Amino acid sequence: ITERIQTENALRESWDSFRFLAENAKDMIYRMSLPEGHYEYVSPASSELFGYTPKEFYNSPILIKQVIHPAWGKYFENQWRKLLAGDLSPFYEYQIIHKSGETRWLHQRNAMITNDKGEPVAIQGMVTDITASKEAEEELVQHRQQLEELVKKRTLELEVKNKELERFNNLFIGREFRIKELRDQVEGLENQIDIIKKGGPVE
């Protein structure tokens, strides 16, 4: 009896510790039974992440299916089918429509619970709001694209300037050659005139 009481006390203390951590965590901790999709436990963080209280999750099986963003409907159906077949991804990333109407990004880490036969009976895990990091990533991508466009524009402008400079140099060099030819011709004529004046033969 003493050993049983000690075990029960240890379990109670473990549960109290878990409950304290779960109820004060910013991430939502959950456990869902399979294949029904009933939520057995949802931590209070659901109110912030989804806009729905734990009680609303308990009263609405597969509530996640209702809040999932329409663009992720097919993704949810495929993952749910795999889940019931015992194929669980270690994490999901998807968008939801918050109860307020706001679109949010969530990262969900998963763990499968099976029975003695290896059949899935529950899924549990933790859900984190990653909206801010996703927006930062998108902003970074936009800045990178803008930088690439600017580099392309500046490179094109530089190529145009180089071509103009090359054309100018060609014109300048051609002009110098032409001037030299004219000077040579003038010098040749002057030499012939001098020869004529001296009475010599003209070439």
Side-chain angles (χ1 to χ4, degrees):
I1 294 175
T2 301
E3 184 178 351
R4 186 184 67 187
I5 292 175
Q6 290 176 343
T7 301
E8 290 176 351
N9 288 337
L11 289 173
R12 188 178 300 107
E13 289 177 2
S14 296
W15 170 250
D16 289 341
S17 297
F18 166 78
R19 194 175 187 85
F20 175 80
L21 292 173
E23 293 185 355
N24 289 277
K26 291 184 178 181
D27 297 339
M28 186 188 91
I29 299 171
Y30 74 95
R31 179 185 171 101
M32 175 193 286
S33 64
L34 298 174
E36 301 85 1
H38 290 286
Y39 286 95
E40 297 177 352
Y41 177 77
V42 175
S43 67
S46 67
S47 299
E48 174 61 29
L49 267 68
F50 290 89
Y52 295 90
T53 64
K55 184 177 181 180
E56 289 177 290
F57 274 91
Y58 298 142
N59 294 336
S60 303
I62 313 295
L63 178 59
I64 185 63
K65 187 175 182 179
Q66 301 175 29
V67 301
I68 199 81
H69 193 285
W72 292 85
K74 293 286 186 182
Y75 174 82
F76 176 83
E77 292 175 5
N78 291 336
Q79 295 301 328
W80 181 255
R81 214 168 21 245
K82 291 181 179 180
L83 172 60
L84 296 181
D87 181 10
L88 175 65
S89 173
F91 69 90
Y92 301 141
E93 273 193 9
Y94 53 89
Q95 287 178 295
I96 63 159
I97 304 297
H98 191 272
K99 194 174 185 179
S100 65
E102 177 187 0
T103 298
R104 291 192 179 184
W105 275 97
L106 299 182
H107 178 89
Q108 177 177 320
R109 297 175 293 287
N110 309 308
M112 179 76 79
I113 308 299
T114 59
N115 58 20
D116 296 337
K117 299 179 181 179
E119 300 169 335
V121 295
I123 176 178
Q124 63 186 26
M126 186 177 297
V127 184
T128 305
D129 188 334
I130 58 170
T131 305
S133 62
K134 282 291 185 179
E135 290 176 348
E137 288 177 9
E138 180 63 27
E139 186 175 354
L140 181 61
V141 170
Q142 291 178 358
H143 284 319
R144 186 178 292 114
Q145 290 175 345
Q146 291 174 356
L147 180 60
E148 289 175 354
E149 290 297 324
L150 182 60
V151 170
K152 288 180 181 179
K153 182 180 178 181
R154 292 292 181 263
T155 301
L156 181 60
E157 291 177 352
L158 182 59
E159 290 176 353
V160 172
K161 295 296 183 183
N162 284 336
K163 288 181 180 180
E164 290 178 354
L165 180 60
E166 183 179 354
R167 186 168 60 252
F168 175 79
N169 286 338
N170 290 336
L171 290 173
F172 179 79
I173 293 173
R175 178 174 173 273
E176 290 298 310
F177 278 122
R178 181 58 179 164
I179 291 174
K180 185 177 183 303
E181 289 178 358
L182 291 174
R183 284 178 177 173
D184 290 342
Q185 292 177 9
V186 170
E187 185 176 350
L189 291 173
E190 289 177 346
N191 290 335
Q192 290 182 9
I193 291 172
D194 289 340
I195 293 172
I196 292 172
K197 287 181 177 179
K198 294 177 180 178
V202 180
E203 297 180 0

